[in-house]
């Protein structure tokens, strides 16, 4: 048993990038990790990826599109029913739309759509 046994981490954007790597590190440290990602197929592959690095993991994958409030509520309800406490919450999923004005008055739009 590890020192983090029983501790719960919830990671959004968990199917790739920083989110997936956070899941792997926390799972290897003994956390029970709730992986949340929009794409169910990528989420399943991420679970396999983490499991190959840390075979004794306790992972709960949840496919959800957190840009939809009903999905946010569904996931929050599920987590609160299953766990009395969440020790770590990392929000690695993002949709960012930034508009900026550059020199000369031209407008530019920058966007980032994370998993």
């Amino acid at each position: 048993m590890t020192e983090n046994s029983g501790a719960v981490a919830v990671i959004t954007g968990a199917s790739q990038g920083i989110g997936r790597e956070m899941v792997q590190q926390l799972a290897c440290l003994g956390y029970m990790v709730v992986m949340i990602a929009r794409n169910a197929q990528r989420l399943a592959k991420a679970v396999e990826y983490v499991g190959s690095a840390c075979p004794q993991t306790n992972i709960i994958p949840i496919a959800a599109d957190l840009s939809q409030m009903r999905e946010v509520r569904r996931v929050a309800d599920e987590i609160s029913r299953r766990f009395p406490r969440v020790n770590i919450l990392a929000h690695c999923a993002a949709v960012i739309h930034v508009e900026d004005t550059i020199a000369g008055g031209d407008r530019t739009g920058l966007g980032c759509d994370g998993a």
Side-chain angles (χ1 to χ4, degrees):
M1 218 176 237
T2 68
E3 67 182 69
N4 297 311
S5 181
V8 177
V10 176
I11 312 297
T12 68
S15 65
Q16 59 188 1
I18 292 170
R20 185 182 70 179
E21 297 306 315
M22 286 183 72
V23 169
Q24 180 177 315
Q25 294 300 312
L26 292 168
C28 289
L29 290 172
Y31 284 83
M32 175 177 294
V33 183
V34 179
M35 295 178 73
I36 303 169
R38 180 178 40 210
N39 185 298
Q41 289 177 323
R42 282 197 306 225
L43 182 60
K45 288 180 183 179
V47 170
E48 289 177 25
Y49 173 86
V50 171
S52 69
C54 305
Q56 300 299 320
T57 58
N58 196 349
I59 295 174
I60 299 166
I62 299 176
D65 181 352
L66 298 181
S67 70
Q68 304 295 317
M69 278 310 294
R70 70 180 177 280
E71 288 287 282
V72 172
R73 288 185 192 98
R74 178 182 66 83
V75 170
D77 288 345
E78 183 173 343
I79 291 169
S80 65
R81 274 195 306 273
R82 294 178 86 159
F83 307 106
R85 175 185 170 111
V86 171
N87 303 90
I88 295 174
L89 172 61
H91 183 58
C92 301
V95 175
I96 302 168
H97 298 285
V98 178
E99 281 194 17
D100 197 5
T101 303
I102 57 175
D106 294 328
R107 295 193 63 80
T108 179
L110 306 173
C112 174
D113 183 5

